[in-house]
Amino acid sequence: MVQKLDTLEETPSQTAGPYVHIGCIPTFAGVEGVYPEDLGKRAIEDGAKGEVITITGSVFDGTGWALRDAMMESWQPDAAGKFPGQKGADPKVNGFCRFAADGETGEFTLKTVKPGKVPYREGGHQAPHIALWITARGINTGLQTRIYFEDEDNEGDPLLSRIEQQHRRDTLIAKKTGEGQYRFDIRLQGEGETVFLDL
Amino acid sequence: MTDLGTLIPRNREIHPPAYDVGYKTSVVRSPTQPLLSMESTLTEETGPMFGHSLLGPLDNNLILNYTQGRAPAVGERILVHGRVLDENNRPQKGVLVEAWQANAGGRYRHKKDGYLAPLDPNFGGCGRALTDENGYYEFLTIRPGAYPWPNRGNDWRPMHIHFSIFGTGFGQRLISQMYFEGDPLIRNCPIAATIKNRSHLDRLVAPLDMSKSRPLDHLAYKFDIVLRGRRQTMFENKMEGM
Ligand SMILES: [Fe+3]
């Protein structure tokens, strides 16, 4: 026998299941009175600096059906590219938000500020983006992806530039539909499948 | 957001594959293209942190939190406790652990759950806790019932509690389930079986822990959770020990 490592292995994932809302956003699920309000209800508070934007979209399965049961989380920096907890970060930006697909339409909405670009190693930077984590029944391990913006300079972003096919890169870029309005659809499988991340 | 450092890449071998024909819903919800792998960035290395001001006194007591202490939930009283560690075996302090589960009859308080078993008027089914200095958390709850679900002809979920865990970085985010030692339904469950290696699945099975059980009150089950770790340099290791 070789020597033993003293490191541990990550706990294996299991699906969040159809009732993830009870655990993560109970008030939304109708389980009222346990917490004063759901965690991550707002990405920003009133007075957050920067451009307030709304991102709308759906999560589609391989048959083209918009999931009614998806639960998502987003994480992002403020308009100056500082994450909550970092020195000088905008105290009105929570950075974290939880939101769910509508039970009738399957559409979700995220209201937040447009994030700033984030420093990357050796003086580079990452283009403005929001990290997104998607869970639902039938998703065995939460899916990581990112929302970039079509009206930002995405050239040289270290992640986007790793995706060779333009049409695949485009799956990570929110389309501008109006002033402060963006559309970001996620396709779990098949034609136009979103690029999911492992980082 | 104090504990910066590159995250150790996920060992995808221990996680269930996205596509599993035995778990029918995964068939149309599984990406077919490979994941894009890259070293973590500030986006994944930072994450939301929650303080004690978030928590109410009954948040980790699922027996009482739905009625805010007025009446206890029906069922077999159990304590579920354990530690949250990272892959470097370091306790994760002050991280949020959320749990949700069915009631003693196997029914969720959710409009989509139409199982025959009745709702318990005193049971909501969710709780949360922050880990202490040593990474410990605990929940007082009732043992959830097994329940049937539409998948193959006669599939039943073993008794289980769903867990959602935050680390200090968004890239550590994890949702999983805890099973109970000795439950024979584990071996028939297509969701448990999405984990392909029994030794990996066993890490989700909490043993009965008589050392934490309280006479005439509750049994206890121990469930430790490991999150992704951060790569440490030798220098950082030394600093830690100083
Ligand atoms: Fe369940």
Side-chain angles (χ1 to χ4, degrees):
Chain A
M1 276 267 276
V2 300
Q3 293 188 9
K4 243 175 119 68
L5 292 171
D6 60 2
T7 48
L8 303 173
E9 258 197 300
E10 192 186 10
T11 296
S13 170
Q14 289 270 264
T15 181
Y19 309 125
V20 60
H21 316 89
I22 291 179
C24 295
I25 40 176
T27 310
F28 173 88
V31 181
E32 281 168 50
V34 180
Y35 311 140
E37 72 169 20
D38 288 339
L39 188 75
K41 209 165 180 229
R42 293 171 297 276
I44 51 167
E45 303 295 339
D46 286 344
K49 294 189 196 81
E51 187 195 356
V52 175
I53 59 168
T54 303
I55 303 168
T56 308
S58 284
V59 183
F60 294 100
D61 71 11
T63 73
W65 172 254
L67 271 59
R68 270 49 174 180
D69 59 312
M71 202 272 304
M72 279 148 284
E73 291 179 358
S74 62
W75 172 244
Q76 64 164 94
D78 66 16
K82 290 232 189 295
F83 287 95
Q86 278 187 306
K87 225 177 139 199
D90 183 347
K92 301 288 189 192
V93 172
N94 302 322
F96 173 71
C97 192
R98 264 181 175 166
F99 47 99
D102 184 274
E104 301 295 321
T105 65
E107 219 165 65
F108 67 80
T109 303
L110 169 64
K111 186 183 172 198
T112 186
V113 286
K114 182 82 100 51
K117 56 187 188 189
V118 176
Y120 191 61
R121 33 184 107 83
E122 280 121 43
H125 72 266
Q126 303 192 71
H129 66 276
I130 298 173
L132 191 65
W133 192 64
I134 304 155
T135 67
R137 112 183 181 262
I139 295 177
N140 288 327
T141 308
L143 294 167
Q144 260 179 287
T145 188
R146 283 183 177 187
I147 306 171
Y148 287 86
F149 300 91
E150 71 172 349
D151 55 347
E152 292 287 339
D153 179 9
N154 294 316
E155 272 316 299
D157 178 82
L159 187 140
L160 288 177
S161 52
R162 285 189 180 224
I163 308 170
E164 190 185 358
Q165 304 94 331
Q166 181 67 48
H167 66 278
R168 296 226 71 214
R169 206 179 310 162
D170 287 345
T171 68
L172 299 186
I173 299 174
K175 303 275 172 290
K176 190 163 185 167
T177 55
E179 216 30 65
Q181 308 265 318
Y182 294 86
R183 179 92 199 167
F184 188 76
D185 286 318
I186 295 142
R187 290 185 173 77
L188 297 178
Q189 189 185 82
E191 205 184 321
E193 184 175 306
T194 299
V195 173
F196 295 103
L197 310 173
D198 183 28
L199 43 61
Chain B
M1 210 230 64
T2 48
D3 198 14
L4 289 182
T6 314
L7 295 169
I8 297 170
R10 269 203 157 110
N11 176 6
R12 294 275 166 187
E13 294 294 309
I14 63 145
H15 292 293
Y19 174 90
D20 189 320
V21 74
Y23 178 21
K24 291 184 184 177
T25 313
S26 78
V27 169
V28 293
R29 296 186 171 192
S30 42
T32 55
Q33 299 298 315
L35 302 176
L36 172 65
S37 296
M38 192 173 121
E39 190 159 73
S40 67
T41 73
L42 207 52
T43 312
E44 295 74 34
E45 291 155 13
T46 58
M49 292 302 290
F50 307 101
H52 281 277
S53 58
L54 176 74
L55 297 188
L58 293 175
D59 279 12
N60 69 339
N61 184 335
L62 285 78
I63 293 178
L64 291 178
N65 68 13
Y66 188 59
T67 62
Q68 290 298 302
R70 282 189 300 278
V74 170
E76 194 182 325
R77 297 163 59 82
I78 58 170
L79 181 83
V80 174
H81 75 105
R83 287 213 292 165
V84 181
L85 303 160
D86 73 1
E87 290 169 293
N88 296 315
N89 213 339
R90 296 204 296 185
Q92 301 295 290
K93 307 166 195 170
V95 301
L96 184 68
V97 181
E98 297 163 300
W100 68 99
Q101 62 169 83
N103 69 19
R107 172 89 181 264
Y108 283 93
R109 187 174 287 282
H110 194 286
K111 59 179 181 297
K112 287 277 168 67
D113 188 355
Y115 181 35
L116 288 172
L119 284 171
D120 174 351
N122 298 332
F123 187 72
C126 62
R128 60 187 177 185
L130 281 172
T131 57
D132 74 6
E133 282 298 291
N134 300 311
Y136 273 100
Y137 73 88
E138 57 180 42
F139 290 103
L140 190 65
T141 186
I142 48 93
R143 188 196 292 270
Y147 59 84
W149 59 296
N151 187 55
R152 301 173 306 201
N154 189 16
D155 277 327
W156 290 72
R157 294 303 327 278
M159 300 177 287
H160 63 279
I161 300 176
H162 297 265
F163 272 80
S164 152
I165 312 101
F166 286 85
T168 50
F170 197 57
Q172 292 172 294
R173 205 65 188 84
L174 182 70
I175 282 183
S176 192
Q177 301 182 26
M178 181 200 108
Y179 301 102
F180 291 79
E181 178 183 15
D183 186 344
L185 288 171
I186 296 171
R187 66 168 179 268
N188 299 331
C189 175
I191 287 180
T194 60
I195 297 173
K196 293 305 165 204
N197 182 317
R198 181 68 214 209
S199 71
H200 295 148
L201 176 59
D202 280 342
R203 303 208 26 237
L204 301 184
V205 184
L208 178 69
D209 180 3
M210 289 309 287
S211 77
K212 279 276 187 175
S213 136
R214 176 178 281 183
L216 308 176
D217 186 343
H218 59 72
L219 287 172
Y221 286 86
K222 184 165 196 288
F223 186 53
D224 287 336
I225 297 157
V226 181
L227 299 178
R228 291 174 73 183
R230 294 174 190 265
R231 229 165 42 213
Q232 296 165 281
T233 64
M234 201 170 140
F235 177 70
E236 285 168 330
N237 276 328
K238 278 189 180 149
M239 291 297 283
E240 261 265 309
M242 274 162 77

Short mmCIF file of all heavy atoms in Angstrom, two decimals, chain A residues 152-182:
data_model
loop_
_atom_site.label_atom_id
_atom_site.label_comp_id
_atom_site.label_asym_id
_atom_site.label_seq_id
_atom_site.Cartn_x
_atom_site.Cartn_y
_atom_site.Cartn_z
N GLU A 152 -21.31 45.01 -24.35
CA GLU A 152 -20.04 45.24 -23.66
C GLU A 152 -18.91 44.73 -24.55
O GLU A 152 -19.13 43.94 -25.47
CB GLU A 152 -20.02 44.49 -22.33
CG GLU A 152 -20.98 45.02 -21.29
CD GLU A 152 -20.54 46.36 -20.68
OE1 GLU A 152 -19.32 46.68 -20.74
OE2 GLU A 152 -21.41 47.08 -20.16
N ASP A 153 -17.71 45.18 -24.23
CA ASP A 153 -16.54 44.71 -24.99
C ASP A 153 -16.11 43.35 -24.42
O ASP A 153 -15.52 43.28 -23.34
CB ASP A 153 -15.41 45.74 -24.85
CG ASP A 153 -14.17 45.29 -25.60
OD1 ASP A 153 -14.25 44.30 -26.35
OD2 ASP A 153 -13.12 45.93 -25.41
N ASN A 154 -16.45 42.31 -25.14
CA ASN A 154 -16.14 40.95 -24.67
C ASN A 154 -14.83 40.40 -25.23
O ASN A 154 -14.46 39.26 -24.94
CB ASN A 154 -17.31 40.02 -25.01
CG ASN A 154 -18.58 40.38 -24.24
OD1 ASN A 154 -18.52 40.65 -23.05
ND2 ASN A 154 -19.70 40.43 -24.94
N GLU A 155 -14.16 41.23 -26.06
CA GLU A 155 -12.89 40.79 -26.65
C GLU A 155 -11.87 40.52 -25.54
O GLU A 155 -11.76 41.29 -24.59
CB GLU A 155 -12.33 41.88 -27.57
CG GLU A 155 -12.82 41.83 -29.00
CD GLU A 155 -12.85 40.42 -29.60
OE1 GLU A 155 -11.76 39.81 -29.70
OE2 GLU A 155 -13.95 39.96 -29.95
N GLY A 156 -11.18 39.43 -25.67
CA GLY A 156 -10.09 39.17 -24.74
C GLY A 156 -10.54 38.60 -23.41
O GLY A 156 -9.73 38.37 -22.52
N ASP A 157 -11.84 38.37 -23.24
CA ASP A 157 -12.27 37.73 -22.00
C ASP A 157 -11.68 36.32 -21.95
O ASP A 157 -11.80 35.56 -22.92
CB ASP A 157 -13.80 37.65 -21.93
CG ASP A 157 -14.26 36.94 -20.66
OD1 ASP A 157 -14.31 37.59 -19.61
OD2 ASP A 157 -14.52 35.72 -20.73
N PRO A 158 -11.02 35.98 -20.84
CA PRO A 158 -10.30 34.69 -20.81
C PRO A 158 -11.20 33.47 -20.97
O PRO A 158 -10.77 32.45 -21.51
CB PRO A 158 -9.62 34.70 -19.44
CG PRO A 158 -10.29 35.75 -18.64
CD PRO A 158 -10.84 36.75 -19.61
N LEU A 159 -12.44 33.57 -20.50
CA LEU A 159 -13.33 32.41 -20.62
C LEU A 159 -13.93 32.35 -22.03
O LEU A 159 -13.85 31.31 -22.71
CB LEU A 159 -14.42 32.48 -19.56
CG LEU A 159 -15.31 31.24 -19.46
CD1 LEU A 159 -15.61 30.91 -18.00
CD2 LEU A 159 -16.61 31.39 -20.22
N LEU A 160 -14.49 33.46 -22.48
CA LEU A 160 -15.12 33.45 -23.81
C LEU A 160 -14.11 33.08 -24.89
O LEU A 160 -14.45 32.39 -25.85
CB LEU A 160 -15.74 34.83 -24.11
CG LEU A 160 -16.99 35.20 -23.33
CD1 LEU A 160 -17.43 36.60 -23.68
CD2 LEU A 160 -18.11 34.19 -23.58
N SER A 161 -12.87 33.53 -24.72
CA SER A 161 -11.91 33.27 -25.79
C SER A 161 -11.47 31.80 -25.85
O SER A 161 -10.79 31.39 -26.78
CB SER A 161 -10.70 34.21 -25.68
OG SER A 161 -10.18 34.15 -24.38
N ARG A 162 -11.90 31.02 -24.86
CA ARG A 162 -11.63 29.57 -24.94
C ARG A 162 -12.65 28.83 -25.77
O ARG A 162 -12.50 27.64 -26.01
CB ARG A 162 -11.67 28.97 -23.54
CG ARG A 162 -10.45 29.32 -22.76
CD ARG A 162 -10.43 28.52 -21.50
NE ARG A 162 -9.23 28.90 -20.80
CZ ARG A 162 -8.41 28.05 -20.21
NH1 ARG A 162 -8.70 26.78 -20.19
NH2 ARG A 162 -7.33 28.48 -19.62
N ILE A 163 -13.73 29.50 -26.12
CA ILE A 163 -14.77 28.82 -26.89
C ILE A 163 -14.55 29.12 -28.35
O ILE A 163 -14.67 30.27 -28.79
CB ILE A 163 -16.18 29.29 -26.45
CG1 ILE A 163 -16.32 29.18 -24.92
CG2 ILE A 163 -17.27 28.48 -27.16
CD1 ILE A 163 -17.57 29.84 -24.37
N GLU A 164 -14.20 28.10 -29.11
CA GLU A 164 -13.79 28.31 -30.49
C GLU A 164 -14.98 28.68 -31.38
O GLU A 164 -14.89 29.62 -32.17
CB GLU A 164 -13.13 27.02 -31.00
CG GLU A 164 -12.46 27.22 -32.35
CD GLU A 164 -11.91 25.91 -32.91
OE1 GLU A 164 -12.02 24.86 -32.23
OE2 GLU A 164 -11.39 25.95 -34.03
N GLN A 165 -16.11 27.98 -31.21
CA GLN A 165 -17.24 28.19 -32.11
C GLN A 165 -18.02 29.43 -31.69
O GLN A 165 -18.56 29.48 -30.59
CB GLN A 165 -18.19 26.97 -32.09
CG GLN A 165 -17.52 25.66 -32.42
CD GLN A 165 -17.07 24.91 -31.17
OE1 GLN A 165 -16.77 25.52 -30.15
NE2 GLN A 165 -16.98 23.59 -31.26
N GLN A 166 -18.12 30.38 -32.60
CA GLN A 166 -18.84 31.64 -32.31
C GLN A 166 -20.26 31.37 -31.82
O GLN A 166 -20.73 31.99 -30.87
CB GLN A 166 -18.85 32.52 -33.57
CG GLN A 166 -19.54 33.87 -33.39
CD GLN A 166 -18.78 34.80 -32.44
OE1 GLN A 166 -17.56 34.96 -32.58
NE2 GLN A 166 -19.49 35.37 -31.46
N HIS A 167 -20.95 30.41 -32.46
CA HIS A 167 -22.35 30.19 -32.08
C HIS A 167 -22.47 29.63 -30.67
O HIS A 167 -23.49 29.81 -30.01
CB HIS A 167 -23.07 29.30 -33.11
CG HIS A 167 -22.57 27.89 -33.17
ND1 HIS A 167 -21.45 27.51 -33.88
CD2 HIS A 167 -23.03 26.75 -32.58
CE1 HIS A 167 -21.24 26.21 -33.74
NE2 HIS A 167 -22.18 25.72 -32.96
N ARG A 168 -21.46 28.95 -30.23
CA ARG A 168 -21.50 28.46 -28.84
C ARG A 168 -21.18 29.59 -27.87
O ARG A 168 -21.78 29.70 -26.80
CB ARG A 168 -20.50 27.31 -28.66
CG ARG A 168 -20.83 26.07 -29.47
CD ARG A 168 -20.73 24.80 -28.66
NE ARG A 168 -21.80 24.68 -27.70
CZ ARG A 168 -21.67 24.12 -26.50
NH1 ARG A 168 -20.52 23.61 -26.12
NH2 ARG A 168 -22.68 24.05 -25.67
N ARG A 169 -20.21 30.43 -28.23
CA ARG A 169 -19.88 31.58 -27.40
C ARG A 169 -21.13 32.46 -27.21
O ARG A 169 -21.39 32.96 -26.12
CB ARG A 169 -18.78 32.40 -28.10
CG ARG A 169 -17.92 33.20 -27.16
CD ARG A 169 -16.85 33.96 -27.92
NE ARG A 169 -16.10 33.11 -28.85
CZ ARG A 169 -15.36 33.56 -29.85
NH1 ARG A 169 -15.28 34.86 -30.09
NH2 ARG A 169 -14.70 32.73 -30.63
N ASP A 170 -21.91 32.59 -28.28
CA ASP A 170 -23.11 33.44 -28.23
C ASP A 170 -24.13 32.96 -27.19
O ASP A 170 -24.96 33.75 -26.75
CB ASP A 170 -23.79 33.48 -29.61
CG ASP A 170 -22.99 34.33 -30.60
OD1 ASP A 170 -22.10 35.08 -30.14
OD2 ASP A 170 -23.25 34.23 -31.81
N THR A 171 -24.07 31.68 -26.81
CA THR A 171 -25.05 31.18 -25.83
C THR A 171 -24.83 31.81 -24.45
O THR A 171 -25.70 31.70 -23.59
CB THR A 171 -25.01 29.64 -25.68
OG1 THR A 171 -23.77 29.23 -25.08
CG2 THR A 171 -25.19 28.94 -27.01
N LEU A 172 -23.67 32.44 -24.25
CA LEU A 172 -23.38 33.05 -22.95
C LEU A 172 -23.63 34.56 -22.96
O LEU A 172 -23.33 35.24 -21.97
CB LEU A 172 -21.93 32.78 -22.55
CG LEU A 172 -21.53 31.31 -22.38
CD1 LEU A 172 -20.11 31.20 -21.85
CD2 LEU A 172 -22.50 30.58 -21.45
N ILE A 173 -24.14 35.08 -24.07
CA ILE A 173 -24.25 36.53 -24.20
C ILE A 173 -25.71 36.96 -24.24
O ILE A 173 -26.48 36.57 -25.12
CB ILE A 173 -23.47 37.00 -25.46
CG1 ILE A 173 -21.99 36.61 -25.27
CG2 ILE A 173 -23.65 38.50 -25.67
CD1 ILE A 173 -21.11 36.85 -26.45
N ALA A 174 -26.08 37.78 -23.24
CA ALA A 174 -27.47 38.27 -23.16
C ALA A 174 -27.71 39.28 -24.27
O ALA A 174 -26.86 40.11 -24.57
CB ALA A 174 -27.70 38.91 -21.79
N LYS A 175 -28.92 39.18 -24.88
CA LYS A 175 -29.29 40.09 -25.97
C LYS A 175 -30.03 41.29 -25.39
O LYS A 175 -30.92 41.13 -24.56
CB LYS A 175 -30.23 39.38 -26.96
CG LYS A 175 -29.64 38.10 -27.55
CD LYS A 175 -28.76 38.39 -28.77
CE LYS A 175 -28.00 37.15 -29.24
NZ LYS A 175 -26.92 36.68 -28.33
N LYS A 176 -29.66 42.45 -25.90
CA LYS A 176 -30.32 43.67 -25.44
C LYS A 176 -31.68 43.79 -26.13
O LYS A 176 -31.76 43.72 -27.35
CB LYS A 176 -29.45 44.88 -25.75
CG LYS A 176 -29.95 46.14 -25.11
CD LYS A 176 -28.90 47.23 -25.07
CE LYS A 176 -29.49 48.42 -24.29
NZ LYS A 176 -28.47 49.39 -23.93
N THR A 177 -32.75 43.95 -25.33
CA THR A 177 -34.09 44.03 -25.93
C THR A 177 -34.71 45.40 -25.72
O THR A 177 -35.82 45.67 -26.20
CB THR A 177 -35.02 42.97 -25.30
OG1 THR A 177 -35.01 43.14 -23.88
CG2 THR A 177 -34.58 41.57 -25.64
N GLY A 178 -34.02 46.26 -24.98
CA GLY A 178 -34.56 47.60 -24.72
C GLY A 178 -33.63 48.30 -23.75
O GLY A 178 -32.61 47.71 -23.35
N GLU A 179 -33.99 49.50 -23.38
CA GLU A 179 -33.13 50.25 -22.43
C GLU A 179 -33.10 49.51 -21.09
O GLU A 179 -34.13 49.34 -20.44
CB GLU A 179 -33.70 51.67 -22.28
CG GLU A 179 -32.66 52.77 -22.13
CD GLU A 179 -31.32 52.51 -22.81
OE1 GLU A 179 -31.25 52.44 -24.06
OE2 GLU A 179 -30.33 52.37 -22.06
N GLY A 180 -31.92 49.03 -20.71
CA GLY A 180 -31.79 48.32 -19.44
C GLY A 180 -32.46 46.95 -19.42
O GLY A 180 -32.68 46.38 -18.35
N GLN A 181 -32.80 46.43 -20.59
CA GLN A 181 -33.52 45.14 -20.67
C GLN A 181 -32.68 44.14 -21.48
O GLN A 181 -32.22 44.47 -22.57
CB GLN A 181 -34.84 45.34 -21.40
CG GLN A 181 -35.70 46.45 -20.85
CD GLN A 181 -36.72 45.94 -19.87
OE1 GLN A 181 -37.33 44.91 -20.10
NE2 GLN A 181 -36.88 46.63 -18.77
N TYR A 182 -32.57 42.96 -20.95
CA TYR A 182 -31.82 41.91 -21.65
C TYR A 182 -32.60 40.60 -21.63
O TYR A 182 -33.42 40.36 -20.74
CB TYR A 182 -30.46 41.67 -20.97
CG TYR A 182 -29.55 42.87 -21.09
CD1 TYR A 182 -29.63 43.90 -20.15
CD2 TYR A 182 -28.64 42.99 -22.14
CE1 TYR A 182 -28.83 45.02 -20.25
CE2 TYR A 182 -27.84 44.10 -22.25
CZ TYR A 182 -27.93 45.12 -21.31
OH TYR A 182 -27.14 46.23 -21.42
#
